[in-house]
Amino acid sequence: MSIRGDYVYVNGKLLEEDYLSYSIRTYPDGEWVLADNEFFLMGDNRENSNDSRYFSPVEKRFIVGRAVATIIPQFSLLKNK
């Protein structure tokens, strides 16, 4: 897993992150090798997230819970008409 020039690559393949705003920067550049039981965690608010880029990958045994819903705001509905 690597970060180069604001882009994330997994096994050398560009990770499509269409859920991020085009203006979000992903830094610092780096490369991480994960064990089979590790996950690399990053927040979608990359410029203000304290995540695996700074504290290393996380072992599966430390991940608890399950996502049951994803809420994506529809900002276009909030525009003044």
Side-chain angles (χ1 to χ4, degrees), residues 62-81:
F62 293 114
I63 300 174
V64 295
R66 178 180 304 200
V68 294
T70 301
I71 300 171
I72 301 173
Q74 297 293 322
F75 291 110
S76 62
L77 299 175
L78 301 176
K79 290 182 182 177
N80 291 333
K81 296 184 179 190

Side-chain angles (χ1 to χ4, degrees), residues 13-81:
K13 184 177 177 183
L14 178 64
L15 179 63
E16 295 292 332
E17 297 184 281
D18 54 358
Y19 45 85
L20 293 177
S21 167
Y22 71 91
S23 63
I24 293 293
R25 298 200 58 230
T26 302
Y27 54 83
D29 286 0
E31 189 163 327
W32 296 264
V33 177
L34 280 65
D36 288 338
N37 67 335
E38 291 181 324
F39 291 84
F40 196 88
L41 308 176
M42 287 192 295
D44 58 354
N45 184 5
R46 301 277 167 83
E47 295 173 355
N48 295 299
S49 294
N50 187 13
D51 51 34
S52 289
R53 294 172 293 160
Y54 303 102
F55 60 71
S56 77
V58 176
E59 289 182 32
K60 183 177 181 179
R61 66 189 174 111
F62 293 114
I63 300 174
V64 295
R66 178 180 304 200
V68 294
T70 301
I71 300 171
I72 301 173
Q74 297 293 322
F75 291 110
S76 62
L77 299 175
L78 301 176
K79 290 182 182 177
N80 291 333
K81 296 184 179 190

